Amino acid sequence: MYMAERKPWDSAYKFLFSSKQVFHQFLTRFVEEDFVQGLAVDDVELVDKSFVSEELLDRESDIIYKVTLPGREVYVYVLLEFQSTPDKTIPVRMLLYILQLYDQLFRSSTKGLLPAVFPVLLYNGSLPWTVPFNISELIAPEIPQKYIPSFAYYPIIERDIPPEKLERIKGLVAAIIYLEQQEDDAALRRTIDKAISMIAEEKPEQLRQFSHWINRMFRGSLENRDIDKVNQLTEVKTMLAEVVDRIEQRGEQRGVQQGIQQGMQQGMQQKAREDARKMLERGFPIADISEITGLSEQEIKKL
């Protein structure tokens, strides 16, 4: 398939999903489960090698995040399957990887239940995904069902996501999947403008990631002018963000200066009132007190 011929696909996704902003977008826009709804970006954290074994994290096809929910934690394990044809061993492989992760969690746990691990498969092949979603369907029912392992994973099959849905979802991940759905270079060039419009509202950081992705994955498939469109959008958004930051900083500085000036004015007025009270006690005429302190005669009479 057009997409499967690109060998660095797994590592490119690994790089992309190393950004928690991108992974949060992927999780909340493409996983239709209640527990991911309402998650904030800061609720997701990439798992590093200090927590799990290097063997588990060194595979280019594995991504593991910890998700913080109210009062509990959940781990999200994503297996990237970027082969041209479905692999019937996927349920067995995923269960093996999950068990390895549970082994790590078990060793680091002290007491109580182990945290839940949510398994996700991301497949971008051109052929339909015909592999069962539960490992139990691959095991002969020669013994009672209760002794047969049951393990299901959440499938995200790129070819099955309607383009209209991706256009509605928008964002960096949707734009990438939209481009990956194109069957040849000609189709890719025809849809690049649509993909760019889908990321128009992204922040400069995500635009830079998209620009890196495009340059890495599609440099030989797109014309230079198409690559330049992405780069120009990134540069413009970055420039605008810098301008906004400068304006906000100036606004903060002005706010501090105004606060200092207001404080000084309030202090001077307080001192003037104190002096006016003392002069009233000593019998100074109100007109003279007004001229000396700068307070109006009406203010002095109130004192």
Side-chain angles (χ1 to χ4, degrees), residues 108-125:
S108 62
S109 66
T110 54
K111 59 181 179 179
L113 297 175
L114 290 170
V117 178
F118 181 66
V120 180
L121 169 76
L122 180 61
Y123 169 70
N124 81 335

Side-chain angles (χ1 to χ4, degrees), residues 197-214:
S197 70
M198 293 166 65
I199 62 169
E201 298 178 5
E202 291 286 335
K203 295 180 179 179
E205 180 183 351
Q206 279 68 60
L207 290 177
R208 284 191 291 270
Q209 290 167 331
F210 185 81
S211 178
H212 175 83
W213 174 279
I214 287 290

Side-chain angles (χ1 to χ4, degrees), residues 6 16 18 20 48 67 70 80 92 116 124 134 140 145 147 181 197-198 201 229 236 266 275 278 292:
R6 302 179 184 278
L16 196 64
S18 65
K20 68 178 184 178
D48 59 28
V67 177
L80 306 173
V92 177
N124 81 335
N134 195 309
Q145 187 68 33
Y147 300 112
Q181 288 181 340
S197 70
M198 293 166 65
E201 298 178 5
K229 290 178 184 178
V236 169
Q266 292 174 356
D275 292 342
K278 292 178 181 179
I292 294 171

Side-chain angles (χ1 to χ4, degrees), residues 172-281:
L172 183 147
V173 179
I176 286 174
I177 293 178
Y178 185 81
L179 291 177
E180 290 182 349
Q181 288 181 340
Q182 310 311 312
E183 296 182 353
D184 53 41
D185 290 350
L188 182 65
R189 287 191 288 269
R190 287 196 302 270
T191 56
I192 185 64
D193 286 338
K194 174 61 71 174
I196 291 175
S197 70
M198 293 166 65
I199 62 169
E201 298 178 5
E202 291 286 335
K203 295 180 179 179
E205 180 183 351
Q206 279 68 60
L207 290 177
R208 284 191 291 270
Q209 290 167 331
F210 185 81
S211 178
H212 175 83
W213 174 279
I214 287 290
N215 280 277
R216 180 173 181 176
M217 305 305 296
F218 298 120
R219 169 62 72 177
S221 302
L222 291 171
E223 296 180 359
N224 288 336
R225 63 181 181 181
D226 293 323
I227 299 291
D228 290 341
K229 290 178 184 178
V230 179
N231 294 335
Q232 288 171 5
L233 176 60
T234 304
E235 292 170 2
V236 169
K237 261 301 186 68
T238 301
M239 181 184 65
L240 289 176
E242 291 174 351
V243 170
V244 170
D245 287 342
R246 286 198 295 269
I247 291 174
E248 291 177 348
Q249 289 173 1
R250 290 173 184 172
E252 291 174 358
Q253 292 173 353
R254 283 198 296 269
V256 171
Q257 292 173 351
Q258 291 174 354
I260 293 173
Q261 291 174 352
Q262 291 174 355
M264 293 176 62
Q265 290 174 354
Q266 292 174 356
M268 293 172 63
Q269 290 176 349
Q270 180 65 27
K271 181 67 167 56
R273 285 193 289 269
E274 291 175 359
D275 292 342
R277 287 193 184 96
K278 292 178 181 179
M279 285 186 281
L280 283 172
E281 292 173 357

Side-chain angles (χ1 to χ4, degrees), residues 158-177:
E158 292 188 4
R159 71 182 303 277
D160 293 341
I161 304 176
E164 299 79 15
K165 180 178 180 179
L166 294 172
E167 293 176 23
R168 184 176 69 254
I169 291 176
K170 296 183 179 180
L172 183 147
V173 179
I176 286 174
I177 293 178

Side-chain angles (χ1 to χ4, degrees), residues 3 18 37 68 72 77 101 114 142 157 179 193 242 244:
M3 294 174 290
S18 65
Q37 303 308 314
T68 302
R72 65 194 193 280
Y77 168 83
L101 178 56
L114 290 170
E142 308 296 341
I157 313 302
L179 291 177
D193 286 338
E242 291 174 351
V244 170

